[in-house]
Amino acid sequence: MKKLFILFFVIGFSLVGCSQEPKNEISEPEVKKTIDENVQGDFVFRLVSEKKEYGDGENVKLYGEITYTGDKDEVTITHSSSAILFSLEEKGRGFNIGYSVEDIELVTVLKKGEPYREEYVKSGGYDAGDPSDYVRFIKRFLNNEGFPSGYYIVNGETDFFLKDKERVNIKATINFKVVE
């Protein structure tokens, strides 16, 4: 009877150990794309990370570009706070770093063949109900130089309207690592 009890105890303990959720970590993330470029009509949208790998605390260089390639010398576009929007995910932790839209109906003139560039500027926030590890991460992200170590996916997007109310929405995705 004692042996049977010990056997059930060992099996039960093993099952409990196996049923725990694995941590959401990526051991060796592979950086596949630091430049992504997509086209819609007369517009090219390009998203760029200047490096595949940055050091912890190093300034991360990300930017997006819109290039008009049509027949006119220039076109006027109407957009929200920014003509280029960036949202990030730190994949290992599963944390999303969004953006906010503060204004609408801003106007930008794009000249034919001249890339319009916007550099990424840190943004993001948290709510009182967010998990404490997420709050700590966002505080570190916003208050320190560079990014915390991790594997980042960047989703860039340009979303604007032309004078004739035609909507242009182009997306691109890149990734990079920050190592300690």
Side-chain angles (χ1 to χ4, degrees):
M1 185 70 172
K2 218 181 222 184
K3 289 181 183 179
L4 189 58
F5 177 76
I6 292 172
L7 179 63
F8 282 127
F9 180 78
V10 170
I11 291 172
F13 187 76
S14 298
L15 290 175
V16 169
C18 292
S19 68
Q20 291 179 350
E21 275 188 49
K23 294 186 185 235
N24 187 14
E25 294 179 6
I26 299 173
S27 59
E28 287 298 323
E30 182 182 344
V31 175
K32 296 179 182 171
K33 191 186 288 191
T34 58
I35 299 173
D36 191 12
E37 186 174 283
N38 293 301
V39 177
Q40 181 182 334
D42 293 335
F43 298 91
V44 177
F45 177 60
R46 188 170 181 231
L47 186 62
V48 177
S49 169
E50 289 188 356
K51 294 169 63 175
K52 285 181 155 188
E53 188 173 294
Y54 298 88
D56 192 14
E58 181 180 354
N59 191 17
V60 173
K61 304 260 187 182
L62 303 172
Y63 62 88
E65 291 180 338
I66 308 165
T67 305
Y68 170 65
T69 60
D71 297 331
K72 300 176 186 172
D73 289 336
E74 63 183 35
V75 291
T76 301
I77 63 172
T78 305
H79 53 84
S80 64
S81 294
S82 175
I84 299 171
L85 304 169
F86 302 86
S87 66
L88 289 78
E89 178 185 2
E90 197 294 298
K91 199 72 171 159
R93 295 174 184 93
F95 291 159
N96 291 309
I97 306 164
Y99 57 87
S100 62
V101 174
E102 297 169 9
D103 296 314
I104 56 172
E105 296 191 21
L106 297 179
V107 174
T108 299
V109 175
L110 301 178
K111 298 187 183 289
K112 181 179 180 172
E114 293 181 21
Y116 168 81
R117 179 186 285 198
E118 287 190 20
E119 305 279 334
Y120 174 73
V121 176
K122 285 185 183 182
S123 65
Y126 54 87
D127 294 325
D130 285 336
S132 60
D133 56 340
Y134 178 73
V135 172
R136 279 191 306 274
F137 175 82
I138 291 296
K139 283 181 177 180
R140 181 173 177 222
F141 175 78
L142 293 173
N143 296 325
N144 294 341
E145 290 294 318
F147 287 34
S149 62
Y151 175 67
Y152 292 85
I153 307 290
V154 182
N155 295 301
E157 176 177 10
T158 184
D159 191 10
F160 59 85
F161 289 91
L162 300 171
K163 280 188 178 180
D164 63 2
K165 303 297 180 200
E166 176 189 354
R167 181 179 182 197
V168 175
N169 180 253
I170 312 171
K171 298 178 181 185
T173 301
I174 59 173
N175 57 9
F176 63 90
K177 287 194 275 190
V178 177
V179 296
E180 291 184 24

